[in-house]
Amino acid sequence: MRYKETEIVQVNAIHPETALIEQAAALLRAGEVVVFPTETVYGLGADALQTGAVECIFAAKERPYSDPLIAHIADENDLETLVASVPAEARCLAQAFWPGPLTLILPASPRVPKLITAGLSTVAVRMPRHPVALALIRAVGSPVAAPSANRFMHVSPTTAQHALADLNGRVPLILDGGPCEVGVESTILDLCSEVPRILRPGGVSLEALRTVLPGVQPTVRRNVTGGDAQHDEEAQKAPGQLLIHYAPTVPSFLFEDSPDAMRSAMLREVKRRRERGEQVGVLVADEDVAAFQNSGAHIYTLGSAPEQVATRLFAGLRTLEESGVQVILCRSFEAQGLGLAVRDRLLKAAGGKVFSPNEQQR
Ligand code: TXA
Ligand code: MG
């Protein structure tokens, strides 16, 4: 559906104004879509139990029906609406991490519209901790299906302006609660496989999950060449986890090595491309900025600590993309804690194109 105008309203992120939440909830109850903030990224919500409303999500994002959605709840009791049976591990994990950036894959109840599960026998459920998201779900009185509020295949939005850039005229209302606290999407944990396995690293780290469920296994990903995700095992399990899923519209490359070697290789590549007359963007850490200052590259620093890098990552990709560069070169970060999710998103942005300075391109 096209809207003459997308209204964007500021909402208090800690104590959301009741009238604004009611305005958004009324739209959702009426079967429309609304963009709202969560602690991870902005979501494009619809009433999860209204098939027609869920259809509007796919239309607004231009997302294929083969990619299932996460149903968001505000109360653990809402699990009964969506899930056929709740395993004991799910209770323990919910106790430890909900509300928060953890999505659980659970056996779906027959009540869940097929559009949400993409016809799978499982459903993805998460209880977000953002006060606006929680207030909205409660006011709707139904679970809220919500993918990230970007066009399909684009970078997830961490501000209301990012969501507006992708969905202007495609949604009636965006609730602007300021920048998202975590900045990368939720961790998706499959509790329906033989062993609990992370399908997408995210806001809750593998290390944290293992304190509650020691057997949790990391994401399976074979060594990738050239962004062809067709045979990626994980992509088949979670249809939306294609390697190119988070791609910016500009080609990107990930550099991996020691900080010094990475920096030198990136600088060489900037020089080579500048000599060809290209505009080059670099995503770096604070400690790299000085080295790139006179390189002629468009510089965006992600900070240093993994938490900071996570909050700046998607904004960095969008900013460089909008600056008109022909290529984005990204450095990598330690793949521990939240760093694992950061690496995953950088790898996806690069479509699997990794440069290790001491090797040829893999
Ligand atoms: O942080 C987040 O998770 C954000 C906020 C808005 O909550 N949502 C989000 O949704 O990232 P989305 O649709 O962009 O990504 C969810 C992914 C899909 O790509 C899909 O692959 C996976 O979750 N998924 C959903 N249902 C699934 C299922 N039943 N089995 C396996 N994977 C599933
Ligand atoms: Mg998404």
Side-chain angles (χ1 to χ4, degrees):
M1 192 188 299
R2 301 294 307 189
Y3 296 89
K4 246 214 280 199
E5 212 170 275
T6 293
E7 191 186 356
I8 177 160
V9 290
Q10 289 194 5
V11 56
N12 189 307
I14 298 162
H15 301 293
E17 295 82 352
T18 314
L20 291 181
I21 294 295
E22 194 37 54
Q23 181 190 350
L27 284 167
L28 293 178
R29 283 193 299 262
E32 306 231 32
V33 290
V34 169
V35 172
F36 64 98
T38 83
E39 73 278 23
T40 57
V41 299
Y42 275 73
L44 170 62
D47 180 346
L49 302 181
Q50 292 186 48
T51 297
V54 177
E55 254 168 24
C56 295
I57 290 180
F58 287 91
K61 278 189 66 117
E62 296 176 41
R63 174 168 166 137
Y65 287 129
S66 55
D67 195 358
L69 302 177
I70 299 173
H72 296 69
I73 58 174
D75 190 298
E76 219 183 295
N77 292 331
D78 298 341
L79 270 180
E80 323 303 331
T81 320
L82 300 166
V83 175
S85 63
V86 184
E89 311 90 82
R91 297 274 180 216
C92 299
L93 290 162
Q95 184 74 37
F97 299 109
W98 279 0
L102 176 65
T103 296
L104 299 177
I105 304 296
L106 297 164
S109 147
R111 269 189 296 272
V112 180
K114 291 275 170 284
L115 268 184
I116 291 191
T117 60
L120 299 170
S121 58
T122 55
V123 61
V125 188
R126 143 164 144 84
M127 191 192 294
R129 70 165 174 247
H130 196 294
V132 171
L134 288 171
L136 182 61
I137 299 162
R138 285 198 189 104
V140 176
S142 175
V144 172
S148 48
N150 50 280
R151 294 262 197 107
F152 181 61
M153 305 277 277
H154 199 205
V155 179
S156 290
T158 53
T159 66
Q161 287 67 37
H162 295 164
L164 183 68
D166 277 19
L167 300 175
N168 196 8
R170 292 162 179 253
V171 296
L173 177 66
I174 297 177
L175 294 178
D176 180 357
C180 299
E181 172 203 340
V182 179
V184 289
E185 304 88 339
S186 61
T187 301
I188 303 182
L189 180 65
D190 189 355
L191 291 181
C192 293
S193 50
E194 254 163 58
V195 285
R197 185 176 297 283
I198 293 179
L199 300 180
R200 175 180 75 183
V204 174
S205 70
L206 172 65
E207 295 89 336
L209 288 173
R210 282 185 172 162
T211 63
V212 175
L213 210 59
V216 172
Q217 296 303 303
T219 315
V220 180
R221 176 170 286 134
R222 65 187 182 86
N223 211 357
V224 209
T225 45
D228 171 14
Q230 287 303 307
H231 308 292
D232 186 345
E233 245 181 83
E234 177 217 17
Q236 283 160 19
K237 177 84 197 181
Q241 297 306 300
L242 298 174
L243 257 172
I244 44 168
H245 193 64
Y246 297 86
T249 51
V250 175
S252 305
F253 293 88
L254 181 62
F255 285 71
E256 281 197 327
D257 211 312
S258 67
D260 283 346
M262 232 161 19
R263 199 179 297 139
S264 312
M266 286 172 74
L267 278 165
R268 274 197 305 275
E269 185 65 10
V270 170
K271 186 160 181 285
R272 196 174 71 82
R273 289 179 178 267
R274 293 289 298 144
E275 282 167 4
R276 292 204 311 230
E278 284 184 34
Q279 293 292 319
V280 184
V282 290
L283 271 185
V284 296
D286 281 352
E287 56 268 31
D288 305 315
V289 171
F292 284 88
Q293 211 65 268
N294 298 315
S295 69
H298 297 249
I299 306 168
Y300 192 99
T301 179
L302 299 174
S304 280
E307 291 72 24
Q308 195 185 15
V309 172
T311 59
R312 294 178 58 81
L313 180 61
F314 291 147
L317 287 168
R318 281 180 182 259
T319 303
L320 288 178
E321 187 182 274
E322 280 157 20
S323 69
V325 298
Q326 272 107 40
V327 67
I328 299 174
L329 312 179
C330 319
R331 67 158 275 170
S332 50
F333 294 83
E334 281 239 23
Q336 264 168 17
L338 208 50
L340 196 62
V342 168
R343 183 175 192 283
D344 173 82
R345 303 311 186 270
L346 283 173
L347 198 57
K348 282 171 176 159
K353 298 187 294 296
V354 179
F355 271 112
S356 299
N358 294 323
E359 300 169 27
Q360 292 293 338
Q361 183 188 350
R362 284 195 300 220

